[in-house]
């Protein structure tokens, strides 16, 4: 099956299997290994990508469902010059990662929230990030990173 969509701000057309998940397609066909596969049951958030700016679990979404849509992975967040997105930089600044396995999904989920409301409260951030699990960092540095990025994004508007 041939599908066309936008991937990280560029047009893409791929031949896929009808049963292939978005995560499988992104990792194996597009070589975008920032998409992590862990639980394969829409529970941990490591496979989170943005589809039309909304966070989705790519481990359970069939690839053909992104036909005609915009898909953003962690590899597509930096700008054309290579400058990191404020969330990526904030995660580095706040040491909001340890092994890094959950980090791409965390950043993309947080981006969806801040795109909608850069003035989110701590309670709103925690509630929004509830579907993303981290086993080694703890959540305080992640919250600090999201707050830092939110402040920068508010200043840019």
């Amino acid at each position: 099956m041939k599908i066309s969509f936008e991937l990280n701000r560029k047009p893409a057309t791929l031949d896929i299997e009808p049963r292939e998940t978005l995560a499988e397609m992104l990792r194996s066909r597009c070589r975008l290994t920032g998409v992590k596969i862990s639980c394969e049951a829409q529970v941990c958030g490591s496979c989170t990508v943005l589809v039309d700016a909304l966070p989705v679990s790519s481990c359970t979404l069939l690839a053909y469902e992104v036909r005609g849509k915009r898909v953003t992975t962690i590899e597509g967040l930096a700008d054309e010059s290579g400058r990191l997105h404020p969330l990526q930089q904030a995660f580095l600044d706040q040491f909001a990662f340890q092994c890094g396995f959950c980090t791409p999904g965390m950043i993309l989920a947080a981006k969806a929230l801040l795109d909608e409301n850069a003035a989110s409260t701590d309670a709103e951030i925690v509630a929004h990030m509830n579907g993303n699990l981290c086993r080694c960092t703890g959540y305080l540095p992640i919250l600090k990173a999201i707050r830092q990025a939110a402040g920068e994004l508010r200043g840019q508007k």
Side-chain angles (χ1 to χ4, degrees):
M1 160 184 289
K2 188 178 290 276
I3 64 169
S4 295
F5 60 102
E6 183 182 300
L7 178 59
N8 295 331
R9 297 183 301 271
K10 295 179 183 155
T13 300
L14 295 171
D15 285 315
I16 62 161
E17 295 294 323
R19 68 181 183 279
E20 197 168 0
T21 67
L22 179 57
E24 292 166 338
M25 180 192 75
L26 291 169
R27 289 183 59 81
S28 66
R29 297 188 190 277
C30 303
R31 304 284 185 236
L32 296 173
T33 56
V35 178
K36 306 301 182 204
I37 299 174
S38 181
C39 72
E40 297 186 73
Q42 212 169 2
V43 174
C44 72
S46 357
C47 69
T48 300
V49 299
L50 302 179
V51 175
D52 287 345
L54 297 174
V56 301
S57 295
S58 66
C59 71
T60 56
L61 185 71
L62 292 174
Y64 76 82
E65 295 183 79
V66 300
R67 293 172 305 199
K69 298 184 184 224
R70 285 177 298 122
V71 177
T72 305
T73 68
I74 194 71
E75 292 89 348
L77 283 189
D79 67 20
E80 288 76 20
S81 71
R83 184 173 166 263
L84 295 178
H85 184 278
L87 272 163
Q88 291 171 303
Q89 188 60 55
F91 267 67
L92 291 170
D93 294 348
Q94 297 297 331
F95 304 102
F97 60 91
Q98 190 168 353
C99 81
F101 196 81
C102 69
T103 306
M106 290 275 186
I107 289 172
L108 289 164
K111 182 180 184 319
L113 172 66
L114 297 183
D115 284 350
E116 186 176 310
N117 179 11
S120 296
T121 66
D122 284 358
E124 290 169 330
I125 293 170
V126 169
H128 182 83
M129 299 301 292
N130 193 37
N132 292 76
L133 304 178
C134 176
R135 291 180 174 231
C136 48
T137 302
Y139 296 97
L140 188 55
I142 293 167
L143 178 61
K144 286 179 180 179
I146 296 169
R147 281 195 306 226
Q148 175 185 320
E152 185 173 336
L153 291 167
R154 281 192 309 271
Q156 289 177 0
K157 291 183 178 182

